[in-house]
């Protein structure tokens, strides 16, 4: 005898039962029930807070386009911020440096006395257990604002740049960085950095590669924060075209082959499909960067009273996790972790 389908069973038992067979609302009746069947979590230990450090002393200045985010000088102002981040149980920090002087080679980026190197040393001295990730790029350090060195025609030179990215990585790792995060989008940069680190006996230092980084207008507020707007042209000859997703798989595969330990999709929100595609294809830990523009849009609307900021942030972070990211780099890390802590019993 053929087995009955659910509809056939219910229709033989009457109308009321048929209506009661599938009722998703049963599991939504209380906070406790909803929590029990919740599929995705955002834990502060998976969040990374970006930090801007600036040469000077006694500086804590707010970034105009990013309310609530500051630049810190590497002194007790920075110490206080870092201790707070650590006590909130946040997974790590991602450091960006604003040097006091820039040149065409971005030499402050690989100076042992550079702003980021001094900040790393200080942070590791005071908070040795906090994961410190350092951005490996040149745009904050070059006088022209591009992510590499230029030739006469003003084009970014790939192979000269990756040599310097290797130098930067070694100086950051020597200063104590736990993870190096190259964001310049030069071809073969992961290999060059891996080789440079290994040659300097830093083979244990992992690389978190910005493997698929798009040429995005969502970086606008960051460029104000870091003073890294290119003085001419744009970054489209090295960052990816937003219309591509197969290319993200290709870029990620190349970085994995070159020795990346953690891969990344950036930005996050307009690229959730890319996060999903990369997640399906690779088994490495995957980070997503919830970038400055994504932060500023929410802040601006919240300041105007147009949206409920906390609920929006929860929704955004959960969507990035649902898409498949393990790690989320987000300017909301502190805000979220503070609320998470308050919910703890
Ligand atoms: C540097 C870098 C940028 C960001 C991270 N690293 C800016 C850029 O590529 O222009 C953007 C981060 C953000 O917008 O929050 N290459």
């Amino acid at each position: 005898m053929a087995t009955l389908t659910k509809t056939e069973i219910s229709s033989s038992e009457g109308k009321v039962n048929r209506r009661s067979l599938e009722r998703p609302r049963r599991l939504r009746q209380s906070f406790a029930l909803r929590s029990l069947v919740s599929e995705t979590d955002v834990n502060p230990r998976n969040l990374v807070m970006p930090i801007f450090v600036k040469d000077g002393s006694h500086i804590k200045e707010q970034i105009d386009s990013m309310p609530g985010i500051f630049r810190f000088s590497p002194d007790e102002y920075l110490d206080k911020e870092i201790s707070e981040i650590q006590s909130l149980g946040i997974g790590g920090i991602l450091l960006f440096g604003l040097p006091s002087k820039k040149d065409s080679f971005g030499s402050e980026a690989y100076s042992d006395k550079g702003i980021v190197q001094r900040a790393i040393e200080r942070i590791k001295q005071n908070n040795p257990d906090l994961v410190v990730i350092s951005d490996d790029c040149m745009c904050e350090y070059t006088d022209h604002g591009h992510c590499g060195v230029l030739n006469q025609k003003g084009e970014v030179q790939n192979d000269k740049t990756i040599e310097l990215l290797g130098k930067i990585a070694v100086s950051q790792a020597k200063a104590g960085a736990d993870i190096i995060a190259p964001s310049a989008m030069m071809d073969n940069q992961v290999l060059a950095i891996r080789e440079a680190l290994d040659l300097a006996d830093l083979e244990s230092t992992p690389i978190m590669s910005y493997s698929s980084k798009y040429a995005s207008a969502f970086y606008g507020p960051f460029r104000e924060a870091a003073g890294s707007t290119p003085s001419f042209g744009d970054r489209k000859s090295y960052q990816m075209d937003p219309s591509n997703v197969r290319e993200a798989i290709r870029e990620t595969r190349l970085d994995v082959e070159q020795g990346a330990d953690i891969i990344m999709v950036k930005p996050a929100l307009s690229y959730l499909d890319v996060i999903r595609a990369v997640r399906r294809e690779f088994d490495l830990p995957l980070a997503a960067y919830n970038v400055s523009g994504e932060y500023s849009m929410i802040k601006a609307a919240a300041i105007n009273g147009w949206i409920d900021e906390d609920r929006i942030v929860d929704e955004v972070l959960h969507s990035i996790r649902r898409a498949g990211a393990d790690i989320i780099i987000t300017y909301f890390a502190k805000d979220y972790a503070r609320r998470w802590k308050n919910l703890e019993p």
Side-chain angles (χ1 to χ4, degrees):
M1 198 181 90
T3 44
L4 290 173
T5 64
K6 277 183 176 178
T7 332
E8 282 164 334
I9 296 170
S10 55
S11 54
S12 70
E13 288 169 6
K15 232 175 162 188
V16 176
N17 276 346
R18 182 172 65 228
R19 269 201 238 104
S20 64
L21 262 183
E22 293 264 6
R23 285 181 184 264
R25 287 186 56 200
R26 288 188 193 115
L27 298 176
R28 294 182 198 138
Q29 292 179 86
S30 65
F31 175 75
L33 274 172
R34 292 192 294 273
S35 300
L36 180 71
V37 299
S38 152
E39 298 175 30
T40 320
D41 261 330
V42 177
N43 190 307
R45 74 184 161 81
N46 300 118
L47 301 181
V48 171
M49 179 79 193
I51 298 282
F52 298 99
V53 287
K54 182 179 175 174
D55 253 327
S57 62
H58 300 107
I59 299 170
K60 179 184 178 179
E61 58 189 23
Q62 185 160 235
I63 295 147
D64 288 341
S65 55
M66 301 180 75
I69 303 296
F70 300 83
R71 304 182 191 93
F72 296 94
S73 47
D75 49 26
E76 58 279 15
Y77 283 58
L78 179 66
D79 300 347
K80 197 165 162 268
E81 178 75 2
I82 299 299
S83 297
E84 193 189 344
I85 288 171
Q86 180 151 36
S87 66
L88 285 167
I90 292 170
I93 59 165
L94 174 58
L95 274 183
F96 295 98
L98 285 88
S100 49
K101 59 178 189 347
K102 305 184 183 214
D103 58 34
S104 59
F105 288 94
S107 55
E108 275 291 294
Y110 45 86
S111 154
D112 290 343
K113 298 268 167 296
I115 173 66
V116 157
Q117 287 78 1
R118 278 180 286 128
I120 297 169
E121 276 166 16
R122 192 168 177 113
I123 294 166
K124 291 310 279 187
Q125 225 161 47
N126 296 329
N127 300 78
D129 298 331
L130 182 70
V131 174
V132 175
I133 308 169
S134 60
D135 185 74
D136 184 354
C137 192
M138 308 197 64
C139 61
E140 298 114 69
Y141 303 91
T142 52
D143 48 17
H144 46 71
H146 277 287
C147 300
V149 287
L150 307 178
N151 66 10
Q152 303 269 310
K153 287 187 277 178
E155 299 158 340
V156 175
Q157 296 295 281
N158 196 90
D159 293 7
K160 285 208 176 75
T161 300
I162 62 176
E163 239 175 79
L164 294 177
L165 293 174
K167 265 176 95 161
I168 299 172
V170 169
S171 74
Q172 293 174 341
K174 275 191 179 153
D178 296 292
I179 301 178
I180 305 299
S183 67
M185 285 301 282
M186 295 297 125
D187 291 338
N188 303 316
Q189 62 181 14
V190 174
L191 183 62
I193 291 167
R194 187 69 274 156
E195 284 176 353
L197 289 170
D198 291 359
L199 268 174
D201 289 331
L202 294 161
E203 69 278 358
S204 311
T205 303
I207 297 173
M208 177 169 87
S209 152
Y210 286 66
S211 38
S212 34
K213 174 173 175 179
Y214 288 87
S216 171
F218 285 99
Y219 308 150
F222 174 95
R223 292 183 188 169
E224 185 218 314
S228 61
T229 309
S231 57
F232 65 91
D234 53 41
R235 303 209 201 289
K236 289 180 184 163
S237 77
Y238 39 104
Q239 299 180 348
M240 286 169 54
D241 181 339
S243 63
N244 295 349
V245 62
R246 290 197 307 269
E247 191 187 4
I249 302 296
R250 182 182 186 211
E251 279 281 7
T252 311
R253 175 173 50 76
L254 291 171
D255 284 10
V256 172
E257 285 168 3
Q258 290 169 35
D261 300 281
I262 300 174
I263 50 184
M264 195 198 297
V265 173
K266 176 187 174 186
L269 290 186
S270 294
Y271 300 85
L272 293 174
D273 61 320
V274 180
I275 297 176
R276 168 57 57 90
V278 169
R279 167 77 298 152
R280 286 213 170 120
E281 206 76 25
F282 302 95
D283 54 9
L284 268 70
L286 170 61
Y289 200 142
N290 177 212
V291 299
S292 56
E294 298 171 341
Y295 174 87
S296 300
M297 290 193 305
I298 293 175
K299 278 285 173 187
I303 286 166
N304 277 293
W306 295 335
I307 56 166
D308 178 337
E309 178 176 343
D310 289 352
R311 289 189 56 205
I312 295 266
V313 170
D314 281 1
E315 239 175 281
V316 159
L317 297 181
H318 279 82
S319 76
I320 300 170
R321 290 277 291 177
R322 238 175 33 237
D326 302 301
I327 301 164
I328 307 175
I329 303 166
T330 177
Y331 302 92
F332 290 114
K334 272 176 66 188
D335 290 352
Y336 181 85
R338 228 180 262 125
R339 278 190 287 122
W340 168 277
K341 226 180 153 89
N342 290 338
L343 289 176
E344 275 179 4

